[in-house]
């Protein structure tokens, strides 16, 4: 059913958008349209949010709004928000004050809040804060054109209905801020896990998987437009499950990975996020089988202590997590593993914290995202447990985890010195136009001098000659 051998005719389509029917719109066409308006969008939080903003952009583009990077000239300012920690919400509030200053200069500009914070705070945004005209939850983006119309008429507009079906499968995202090489593909939405610290099940609703064929065709389309890497996104990709309504065949995550890997050997596949309780050997063997599925797994541990993991409702314990790491090492020997870690969760003792440090060492993560616990209203933990670890203790434990991780990242990168990796060139290095940047299969960033004839989207072999804890530096190896 899916195309294993798509043609690679490249078109200069940086400015081409595909609408729902597959027709082609161009930004120029939109710009020439006298009714066209401009929208400005900022995204915060996880990769899923950035991916959602591209769906929002596609919906708006079909409705005569085209993107601008200049807030001052926009008719609509949108912010796609994150509720995961209190700090993330504080950032959004600060941005809303800035948007309102712009609005004073340019009356008539509409301000809209999208995403998780819209879902969490609902009417509160309109009633108490009076900083916004539109409030739109993550499952209501199709309603944006109506909500905008209603806001233009002076109403405060809101749609925060969550859905059990919405996957936006038929909407071709409008790639914003893109490098033309790497792109996100959302494969599922929502989360059914109910980790006790997490607000996501409340803000993003129930888990649902997107039609597998629509995912493969999005990957094929990206390949044909010059992209060379896709990241399959979901809160818990290992529980991806889609039933073909015609054949009743069930596609699981391993099957989906295989389908996307077979689109073309030059299209790299990444995915995020994996859940330790759900990642199967079948998935690991599929990664090992295909060279173009990257040897990199983001496998958040959260804590290394079984009692804390139970309170977190992670549904695995320390031995289970360690066994999954061993399985990865056995089946995909050169696989990099990264993690998310929370310090200072309710009732965490110094011994429990030591267990987290020791599991970080055991797993030898190439990198981690590390946070101290931030209680979120409405979550299981907020209702059941006391947030009893003092802030200084949470922060001190966090510093200890960060220091350990930095040391492990440095050692891991130093082990790469002298090795040669296949690297996908993503573009010029931020610091120097004379250098390229790109990643290896393990998701490590490499910086190396440019060579004539090579460009973004090409693969090249790079030998590493030095490293710090964040980056590898090297030279292109002529084969
Ligand atoms: N406090 C701190 N960190 C959190 N995360 C999720 N919820 C919280 C919270 N309440 C972290 C987890 C998750 C990552 C996306 O954010 O580590 O994996
Ligand atoms: Fe993403 Fe979670 Fe933040 Fe929502 S709350 S934006 S799902 S990280």
């Amino acid at each position: 059913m899916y195309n294993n051998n798509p043609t690679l005719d490249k078109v200069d389509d940086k400015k081409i958008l595909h609408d729902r029917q597959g027709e082609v719109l161009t930004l120029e066409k939109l710009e020439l349209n006298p009714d066209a308006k401009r929208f400005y969008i900022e995204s915060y939080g996880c990769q899923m949010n950035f991916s959602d903003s591209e769906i929002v952009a596609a919906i708006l583009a079909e409705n005569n709004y085209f993107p601008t990077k200049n807030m001052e000239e926009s008719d609509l300012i949108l912010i796609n928000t994150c509720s995961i920690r209190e700090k993330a919400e504080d950032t959004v509030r600060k941005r809303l004050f800035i948007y309102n200053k712009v609005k004073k200069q340019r009356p008539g500009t509409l301000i809209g809040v999208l995403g998780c914070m819209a879902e969490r705070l609902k009417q509160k945004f309109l009633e108490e804060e009076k900083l916004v005209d539109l409030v739109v939850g993550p499952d209501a983006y199709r309603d944006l054109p109506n909500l905008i119309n209603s806001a233009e008429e002076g109403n405060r507009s809101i749609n925060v209905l969550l859905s059990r079906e919405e996957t936006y499968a038929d909407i071709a995202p409008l790639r914003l801020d893109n490098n033309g090489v790497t792109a996100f593909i959302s494969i599922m939405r929502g989360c059914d896990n109910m980790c006790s610290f997490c607000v996501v099940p409340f803000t993003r609703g129930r888990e649902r998987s997107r039609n597998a064929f629509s995912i493969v065709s999005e990957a094929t389309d990206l390949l044909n437009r010059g992209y060379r890497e896709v990241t399959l996104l979901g809160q818990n990709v290992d529980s991806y499950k889609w039933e073909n309504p015609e054949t009743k065949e069930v596609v699981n995550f391993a099957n989906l990975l295989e389908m996307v890997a077979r689109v073309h050997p030059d299209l790299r596949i990444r995915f995020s996020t994996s859940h330790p309780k759900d990642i199967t050997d079948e998935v690991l063997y599929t990664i090992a089988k295909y060279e173009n599925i990257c040897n990199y797994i983001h496998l958040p541990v959260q804590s290394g202590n079984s009692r804390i993991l139970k309170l977190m409702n992670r549904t695995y314990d320390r031995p289970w997590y360690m066994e999954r790491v061993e399985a990865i090492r056995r089946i995909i020997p050169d696989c990099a593993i990264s993690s998310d870690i929370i310090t200072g969760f309710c009732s965490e003792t110094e011994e429990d914290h030591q267990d987290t440090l020791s599991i970080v060492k055991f797993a030898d993560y190439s990198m981690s995202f590390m946070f101290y616990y931030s209680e979120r209203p409405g979550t299981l933990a907020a209702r059941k447990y006391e947030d009893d670890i003092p802030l200084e203790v949470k922060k001190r434990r966090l510093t200890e985890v960060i220091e350990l991780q930095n040391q492990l990242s440095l050692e891991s990168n130093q082990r790469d010195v002298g090795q040669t990796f296949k690297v996908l060139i993503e573009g010029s290095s931020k610091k120097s136009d004379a250098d390229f940047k790109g990643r290896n299969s393990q998701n490590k960033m490499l910086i190396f001098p440019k060579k004539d004839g090579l460009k973004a989207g090409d693969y090249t072999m790079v030998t590493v000659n030095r490293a710090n804890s964040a980056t590898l530096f090297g030279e292109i190896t002529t084969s």
Side-chain angles (χ1 to χ4, degrees):
M1 288 285 271
Y2 50 92
N3 189 352
N4 276 339
N5 261 323
T7 49
L8 272 172
D9 354 331
K10 277 207 201 163
V11 275
D12 180 18
D13 64 350
K14 282 209 181 80
K15 291 196 165 171
I16 292 181
L17 328 171
H18 297 265
D19 76 359
R20 280 179 209 173
Q21 285 74 39
E23 280 173 29
V24 168
L25 298 164
T26 64
L27 287 184
E28 282 91 343
K29 263 197 223 166
L30 276 175
E31 279 172 39
L32 288 175
N33 182 337
D35 302 330
K37 292 190 170 173
R38 292 159 206 252
F39 73 93
Y40 169 90
I41 188 162
E42 276 179 25
S43 308
Y44 293 85
C46 61
Q47 294 171 326
M48 187 66 93
N49 253 13
F50 285 75
S51 170
D52 278 3
S53 292
E54 299 187 330
I55 289 167
V56 166
I59 292 169
L60 291 175
E62 279 178 42
N63 287 276
N64 267 336
Y65 273 83
F66 66 91
T68 170
K69 288 192 192 292
N70 182 359
M71 191 197 308
E72 278 81 21
E73 65 165 29
S74 63
D75 303 288
L76 174 64
I77 302 178
L78 297 173
I79 182 161
N80 200 347
T81 60
C82 174
S83 288
I84 199 115
R85 283 169 291 275
E86 206 176 331
K87 248 187 175 170
E89 292 202 347
D90 293 344
T91 310
V92 168
R93 290 212 170 79
K94 282 189 200 132
R95 295 304 294 160
L96 287 176
F97 283 108
I98 296 189
Y99 302 162
N100 274 276
K101 280 193 190 143
V102 173
K103 187 173 172 157
K104 275 220 174 93
Q105 303 298 318
R106 203 178 144 87
T109 303
L110 296 177
I111 299 175
V113 174
L114 314 177
C116 291
M117 236 174 126
E119 195 61 51
R120 199 178 81 72
L121 295 170
K122 302 187 169 68
Q123 272 90 350
K124 265 196 197 157
F125 255 125
L126 300 174
E127 288 157 12
E128 287 170 23
E129 318 218 5
K130 299 218 177 0
L131 289 170
V132 303
D133 306 291
L134 293 163
V135 178
V136 192
D139 286 344
Y141 297 143
R142 285 182 204 267
D143 198 23
L144 259 167
N146 298 327
L147 294 166
I148 293 169
N149 284 342
S150 153
E152 276 171 346
E153 285 161 17
N155 307 311
R156 292 188 185 269
S157 309
I158 179 163
N159 186 343
V160 287
L161 287 177
L162 287 173
S163 154
R164 279 178 175 253
E165 284 94 34
E166 181 63 273
T167 60
Y168 301 110
D170 56 325
I171 296 183
L174 168 58
R175 307 287 166 187
L176 297 163
D177 285 331
N178 73 49
N179 56 13
V181 179
T182 61
F184 295 130
I185 301 183
S186 161
I187 64 164
M188 58 208 292
R189 301 183 69 80
C191 183
D192 281 353
N193 278 333
M194 296 307 269
C195 299
S196 64
F197 51 78
C198 191
V199 77
V200 172
F202 306 97
T203 60
R204 288 189 164 267
R206 299 303 298 267
E207 183 182 289
R208 61 226 103 116
S209 296
R210 173 178 168 189
N211 179 320
F213 297 119
S214 78
I215 296 168
V216 171
S217 73
E218 191 172 327
T220 308
D221 178 54
L222 285 164
L223 174 84
N224 289 333
R225 292 162 57 199
Y227 287 81
R228 290 294 174 269
E229 183 181 296
V230 295
T231 302
L232 308 181
L233 290 182
Q235 304 299 341
N236 177 7
V237 291
D238 300 293
S239 64
Y240 176 88
K241 195 171 163 216
W242 179 73
E243 188 184 290
N244 186 330
E246 281 153 34
T247 62
K248 301 289 169 213
E249 242 177 298
V250 171
V251 179
N252 67 16
F253 185 56
N255 307 142
L256 179 73
L257 271 180
E258 184 146 31
M259 287 166 74
V260 183
R262 288 164 68 178
V263 166
H264 196 283
D266 279 346
L267 185 71
R268 261 187 180 177
I269 326 297
R270 298 190 186 280
F271 52 89
S272 190
T273 297
S274 301
H275 196 298
K277 87 172 150 64
D278 293 319
I279 191 166
T280 58
D281 285 358
E282 190 192 6
V283 164
L284 301 182
Y285 283 114
T286 308
I287 299 170
K289 182 172 164 195
Y290 288 92
E291 194 267 338
N292 57 334
I293 305 181
C294 289
N295 291 350
Y296 171 67
I297 300 176
H298 184 57
L299 193 70
V301 68
Q302 311 298 0
S303 163
N305 176 268
S306 293
R307 185 185 66 88
I308 294 291
L309 286 169
K310 196 161 179 22
L311 292 182
M312 287 177 162
N313 200 25
R314 290 289 286 174
T315 65
Y316 57 84
D317 58 11
R318 180 181 171 95
W320 174 281
Y321 187 90
M322 290 168 83
E323 189 282 326
R324 289 291 77 202
V325 169
E326 279 165 350
I328 294 171
R329 301 263 183 255
R330 186 173 68 245
I331 299 168
I332 322 163
D334 61 347
C335 192
I337 308 175
S338 62
S339 195
D340 291 347
I341 296 155
I342 299 176
T343 65
F345 187 66
C346 314
S347 84
E348 185 188 71
T349 64
E350 286 304 324
E351 292 74 50
D352 301 338
H353 168 60
Q354 288 301 323
D355 283 346
T356 296
L357 291 170
S358 73
I359 212 161
V360 169
K361 258 193 215 151
F362 170 84
D364 194 15
Y365 299 122
S366 58
M367 60 97 82
S368 294
F369 299 100
M370 297 156 281
F371 318 98
Y372 63 79
Y373 175 58
S374 158
E375 187 178 82
R376 308 310 293 128
T379 55
L380 252 104
R383 282 182 277 145
K384 277 172 66 181
Y385 313 124
E386 194 189 338
D387 182 12
D388 55 354
I389 309 299
L391 187 60
E392 327 78 81
V393 177
K394 287 180 179 174
K395 284 188 174 170
R396 193 252 305 147
R397 291 179 187 167
L398 177 61
T399 307
E400 287 175 17
V401 179
I402 292 173
E403 279 171 4
L404 172 62
Q405 181 58 61
N406 285 347
Q407 180 62 27
L408 292 173
S409 301
L410 181 65
E411 285 168 14
S412 159
N413 286 354
Q414 278 168 347
R415 285 196 295 274
D416 292 337
V417 174
Q419 295 202 47
T420 302
F421 295 101
K422 183 174 170 183
V423 172
L424 174 62
I425 303 174
E426 289 180 15
S428 292
S429 145
K430 258 189 221 141
K431 286 198 182 140
S432 157
D433 213 34
D435 292 336
F436 278 135
K437 66 170 179 190
R439 285 172 200 273
N440 65 7
S441 176
Q442 289 75 14
N443 205 34
K444 289 189 179 175
M445 182 62 86
L446 285 96
I447 305 288
F448 47 96
K450 285 185 179 170
K451 192 178 152 205
D452 283 348
L454 285 176
K455 57 183 185 326
D458 290 340
Y459 288 97
T460 186
M461 301 305 288
V462 177
T463 303
V464 178
N465 51 33
R466 71 189 168 88
N468 59 30
S469 64
T471 314
L472 306 177
F473 300 88
E475 304 250 338
I476 292 173
T477 314
T478 38
S479 43

